[in-house]
Amino acid sequence: MIRNWFKSGTPWIWLNAGAVSIALVAVFGLLLLIMFRGMSHFWPANVESFHYVNDQQTMTVIAEVVESETVPSESVPGITSATGEVTRYLVKTGNRDILGSDFKWIYDQKLETREQPSEVMVLERIEWGNFYGYLNAVYENSSLISNDENKWSVFNLRLERALDIREQILDLEKGDIGAINYRLERLRLNKRSLQLDDEYTDDAANEIEQERTVLKAQYAELLKLTAKLYEDINRDSIRATIMDGREITIPLEKIVKVWQPNKMNVLDKIVFYFKSLWAFVTEEPREANTEGGIFPAIFGTVMMVMLMSVMVTPFGVVAAVYLREYAQQGAIIRVIRIAVNNLAGVPSIVYGVFGLGFFVYFLGGSIDALFYPEALPGPTFGTPGLLWSSLTLALLTLPVVIVATEEGLSRIPRALREGSMALGATKIETLWRVVLPMASPAIMTGLILAIARAAGEVAPLMLVGVVKLAPSLPLDGNMPFLHLDRKFMHLGFHFYDVGFQSPNVEAARPLFYATAFLLVLVIVALNLSAISLRNKLREKYRALDN
């Protein structure tokens, strides 16, 4: 009976089903762990006050509890316990500019009381991380403008004003002033180009000088406006008490937002959570990528994958069509197919080195010498950038598209080709109107696999265009709008930088998980878009397959 059962193949079916189930549980378990560790960072945790008594002296620690654990008392210097175990808490005390670090371990030995004071506040600042303390008063140019009854209403009103002014300053600096600087640089390069071509006449010089004068006048006006805004934003400040009793002055220009977590109900915390999550997705990073958002990294990842897809698809399809439809099958074609398959197994860093040497230094340097001599010795395309990153990953994923397209072409019945040509169509018309449309689901499959690999690659991009912090996005309002020569940020590299290069490991850890989860979501979204298109194409040509 058992022998017949094994011969029937049923055990192997159950074994495969069990292996698939274990793999799915492991994958989804890992994703849930990453999501929980990352997304819980944006929840406004309560702030606790720990009161210790040591040698008749009282010490207070105000902090968020990050985690707790029980450890043997002998492993903690200076602590003894009758039970042999103590509980310790990893807490986020913030105030890194004052205390030196914003995380510490505290122990339950000699802990007198532990409470959640309602008046404690948390400030998110532009630099130095969070601030924990109690609001005392609001000042305007060192003059007190609040009392105990209205200090919070005055503070919120002045903070909203400061945030509006900061937004205006950013719009001016990155918008209007940035555009004028860009035009001034273009004028300088235009002048240099005319000088190299011996066409720098008096008329050209006057025209350039007149335009420069106008731009400089606009620049001066914008600088005056910016200086006035800086003067306005520097006007207000608050004074707050920290856990050791010291009073600290904090300018409102340094504050991003404020909240009192111990006063918030569940609905308030949910609203705050989604606002924080939205800010993380839409804002720029701060503090060596340990604070702020990751929008430039999301934008750079999606932009690079889209450019890579536009580049790799036509090359891969053309190569597959030639190998399957036009090339005479023989030893050479078999060697080429083996080479293509082997290229899929080459380590990605090798492609990065090739991209740096060929695309950046050779091809980019040649483009600079031919088309941008006025910018030399400063490189334009002879330096890592978005174009070379997209080309490098297109080369990396090219074998996947070629193999998938060839498989799709091989499944199309020969009778369809012959029927098309029997009706008077040429070979190229048959290929364009019959063969390629029917092979489009296979082409999309190759593209899906290419996107899945390219979106998560980091090693080659570190050599050909990705940076820790990009000064500007590759897409803006200045001609030619899409700047392929610019460096960019990438979620994969941001993930690596936050996780392994951050100077503040504990602060970066939740962002490490959040970035990893967001990278998975971006890859899934890109793949789902391609899969949806593939399914539509498959349904469209299913009747012809039958």
Side-chain angles (χ1 to χ4, degrees):
M1 179 68 72
I2 295 178
R3 182 179 298 176
N4 292 334
W5 186 58
F6 273 98
K7 286 183 178 180
S8 67
T10 303
W12 314 120
I13 296 175
W14 281 103
L15 184 62
N16 287 334
V20 171
S21 301
I22 292 173
L24 289 175
V25 169
V27 169
F28 283 107
L30 178 61
L31 288 177
L32 287 174
L33 173 65
I34 294 173
M35 182 181 69
F36 176 78
R37 289 289 187 92
M39 297 298 103
S40 62
H41 168 68
F42 305 102
W43 184 262
N46 288 339
V47 178
E48 303 198 34
S49 180
F50 298 84
H51 301 281
Y52 292 87
V53 175
N54 188 10
D55 298 331
Q56 286 75 47
Q57 293 183 349
T58 302
M59 181 184 69
T60 301
V61 176
I62 300 174
E64 293 180 16
V65 177
V66 178
E67 62 182 59
S68 63
E69 62 182 12
T70 301
V71 296
S73 59
E74 58 268 17
S75 66
V76 183
I79 293 183
T80 59
S81 174
T83 61
E85 292 183 342
V86 296
T87 302
R88 67 175 185 175
Y89 306 92
L90 177 63
V91 298
K92 183 177 182 180
T93 58
N95 307 355
R96 187 166 69 247
D97 52 332
I98 305 166
L99 304 177
S101 64
D102 47 2
F103 287 86
K104 65 183 299 185
W105 287 99
I106 61 174
Y107 300 85
D108 62 357
Q109 288 292 96
K110 300 183 179 179
L111 176 63
E112 291 291 320
T113 58
R114 176 180 173 181
E115 58 183 353
Q116 296 181 354
S118 60
E119 292 300 320
V120 69
M121 70 173 179
V122 184
L123 303 179
E124 182 181 338
R125 299 179 291 178
I126 293 179
E127 53 187 11
W128 298 113
N130 286 355
F131 175 90
Y132 297 84
Y134 297 92
L135 177 65
N136 293 337
V138 183
Y139 288 80
E140 178 181 326
N141 293 328
S142 302
S143 299
L144 181 66
I145 59 171
S146 68
N147 53 45
D148 289 341
E149 287 74 23
N150 68 356
K151 60 183 179 181
W152 274 104
S153 59
V154 174
F155 177 32
N156 288 323
L157 185 63
R158 295 300 176 106
L159 179 59
E160 185 177 351
R161 170 184 173 276
L163 294 175
D164 290 339
I165 295 175
R166 185 188 300 134
E167 194 68 30
Q168 295 177 43
I169 292 173
L170 289 176
D171 289 341
L172 283 173
E173 291 180 341
K174 292 194 172 184
D176 298 339
I177 294 178
I180 290 177
N181 283 329
Y182 183 81
R183 292 171 62 185
L184 286 171
E185 177 63 15
R186 300 309 303 172
L187 281 179
R188 185 189 71 82
L189 294 176
N190 187 29
K191 176 181 177 181
R192 177 62 178 160
S193 178
L194 292 174
Q195 289 174 341
L196 291 174
D197 295 336
D198 293 328
E199 297 177 358
Y200 189 60
T201 63
D202 292 339
D203 292 339
N206 290 333
E207 183 179 348
I208 291 175
E209 192 59 35
Q210 288 176 4
E211 188 173 354
R212 180 183 286 111
T213 302
V214 173
L215 291 175
K216 285 186 174 180
Q218 296 175 358
Y219 187 81
E221 289 297 324
L222 291 174
L223 281 185
K224 289 181 182 178
L225 178 58
T226 305
K228 178 65 170 59
L229 291 173
Y230 272 113
E231 182 180 345
D232 290 342
I233 200 174
N234 289 331
R235 187 188 68 182
D236 300 326
S237 63
I238 63 169
R239 291 183 185 172
T241 301
I242 61 174
M243 62 186 186
D244 60 5
R246 283 182 287 174
E247 188 175 67
I248 307 298
T249 299
I250 306 174
L252 262 61
E253 64 165 329
K254 302 295 184 183
I255 301 175
V256 176
K257 61 184 176 183
V258 58
W259 66 98
Q260 293 180 284
N262 297 343
K263 279 188 174 181
M264 299 169 71
N265 56 36
V266 175
L267 182 60
D268 294 334
K269 291 190 174 185
I270 292 174
V271 172
F272 181 92
Y273 175 82
F274 283 104
K275 286 183 177 180
S276 300
L277 190 59
W278 178 252
F280 177 68
V281 174
T282 58
E283 292 181 358
E284 296 185 354
R286 305 188 308 269
E287 287 280 44
N289 289 334
T290 60
E291 300 286 345
I294 56 171
F295 175 74
I298 299 174
F299 185 89
T301 303
V302 174
M303 178 65 69
M304 185 212 63
V305 169
M306 292 175 64
L307 288 174
M308 182 274 301
S309 302
V310 170
M311 294 173 183
V312 73
T313 304
F315 284 108
V317 171
V318 168
V321 167
Y322 174 77
L323 291 174
R324 175 60 58 178
E325 302 291 331
Y326 288 94
Q328 184 176 359
Q329 304 301 312
I332 296 178
I333 297 302
R334 286 196 296 271
V335 169
I336 291 175
R337 285 198 175 96
I338 293 172
V340 169
N341 291 327
N342 288 338
L343 281 175
V346 173
S348 60
I349 190 64
V350 176
Y351 287 96
V353 174
F354 173 81
L356 181 65
F358 179 73
F359 290 139
V360 177
Y361 292 150
F362 175 72
L363 192 57
S366 301
I367 291 174
D368 286 351
L370 288 173
F371 301 105
Y372 302 97
E374 66 277 5
L376 295 175
T380 303
F381 281 95
T383 185
L386 178 61
L387 175 62
W388 307 132
S389 297
S390 301
L391 275 173
T392 300
L393 289 189
L395 190 64
L396 185 148
T397 56
L398 183 61
V400 176
V401 178
I402 293 175
V403 171
T405 304
E406 266 208 274
E407 289 295 325
L409 292 173
S410 66
R411 290 197 299 267
I412 298 175
R414 185 176 181 82
L416 289 175
R417 295 178 173 86
E418 295 174 348
S420 174
M421 288 187 285
L423 293 173
T426 63
K427 187 171 184 178
I428 188 65
E429 288 175 337
T430 300
L431 182 67
W432 183 255
R433 296 181 178 274
V434 178
V435 177
L436 284 180
M438 293 187 65
S440 56
I443 297 172
M444 293 303 302
T445 299
L447 182 59
I448 291 166
L449 296 174
I451 289 174
R453 182 175 183 188
E457 284 290 347
V458 177
L461 297 179
M462 295 168 65
L463 300 177
V464 291
V466 166
V467 291
K468 178 186 178 78
L469 290 170
S472 57
L473 295 176
L475 187 68
D476 60 22
N478 299 318
M479 287 289 293
F481 306 119
L482 179 59
H483 304 273
L484 298 176
D485 57 309
R486 288 184 182 174
K487 296 177 176 61
F488 66 103
M489 296 180 65
H490 185 272
L491 277 173
F493 183 74
H494 188 276
F495 168 74
Y496 161 77
D497 179 71
V498 169
F500 302 101
Q501 303 294 318
S502 174
N504 193 348
V505 177
E506 293 295 341
R509 184 168 60 176
L511 295 182
F512 174 84
Y513 288 107
T515 304
F517 182 68
L518 197 58
L519 176 60
V520 172
L521 290 184
V522 169
I523 295 174
V524 169
L526 290 170
N527 284 334
L528 287 178
S529 301
I531 289 171
S532 175
L533 180 58
R534 182 190 65 182
N535 291 339
K536 290 180 180 179
L537 293 172
R538 182 173 290 167
E539 290 296 327
K540 182 178 180 180
Y541 297 107
R542 186 183 296 275
L544 292 177
D545 288 339
N546 296 332

